[in-house]
Structures are given as structure tokens and as C-alpha cells.
Amino acid sequence: MEIKQTAVAGTLESSDIQIMLSKGNDGIQIDLESDVKKQFGDQIESVITETLKKFDIDNAKVKAVDKGALDCVIKARTIAVAQRALKTADQPAWEVL
């Protein structure tokens, strides 16, 4: 699916992640800021990428600022930002869960 608008989900509070999603041209490009990037950066990027692919998003720029979020929070924020960017927030994609 094609991203219709730039969207943001999440906060910069402890144990959360803020994700900004915008149009891209060369696959899913993730710019991750995290204090635990060395330990968990690959896992965070994997959760974001897998969740976006469930929405059939193949080209996107992702800016993620992690503050120690668990995988379930990362997935929830990615679902929220994807639905906002695709303008489908009023039509939940339950199969993605």
C-alpha cells in the first residue's frame, strides 16, 4: 500500500517509542535512535519491518526514537503509525495483530 501522509505515533516517555512514518522510494529505511541500539537494535528494526510488511508497505522512511520499549509496544506503535499514514485508522486491521 502507498503511504498517503506522514504520521507519528508514540511518545518520548520512558518505556515507549516514538515512530514517524513517511513516504520512501528504496525499501523500508529505518533511522533508529536508542540507548540500547547495540543490544536490541536489530530486534527493534525487525519488529518494525515485519509489522509494516503486514500492511503491504514496501517503501517507507521510518524515524524511531526508542526509550526502552518492549516488543509489544513497538508493534502497537507501528500499527498505529501505519494506519494513520495509510488513512485507515477508522478501519482496524485485526489480522495484523
Side-chain angles (χ1 to χ4, degrees), residues 14-59:
S14 181
S15 301
D16 202 353
I17 187 169
Q18 185 178 70
I19 301 175
M20 180 186 298
L21 185 63
S22 57
K23 290 182 183 183
N25 297 323
D26 192 25
I28 296 173
Q29 301 170 329
I30 301 175
D31 177 17
L32 175 63
E33 273 184 43
S34 176
D35 290 339
V36 294
K37 186 174 181 175
K38 284 186 180 181
Q39 297 96 331
F40 301 110
D42 290 341
Q43 176 64 20
I44 294 167
E45 290 181 12
S46 175
V47 171
I48 293 170
T49 301
E50 288 175 22
T51 306
L52 291 177
K53 287 188 176 189
K54 288 182 181 177
F55 281 96
D56 293 325
I57 296 173
D58 298 319
N59 294 302

Side-chain angles (χ1 to χ4, degrees), residues 59-77:
N59 294 302
K61 291 181 184 175
V62 180
K63 170 70 174 159
V65 181
D66 174 58
K67 296 294 184 180
L70 298 174
D71 283 2
C72 57
V73 175
I74 297 166
K75 186 173 182 178
R77 296 304 191 189

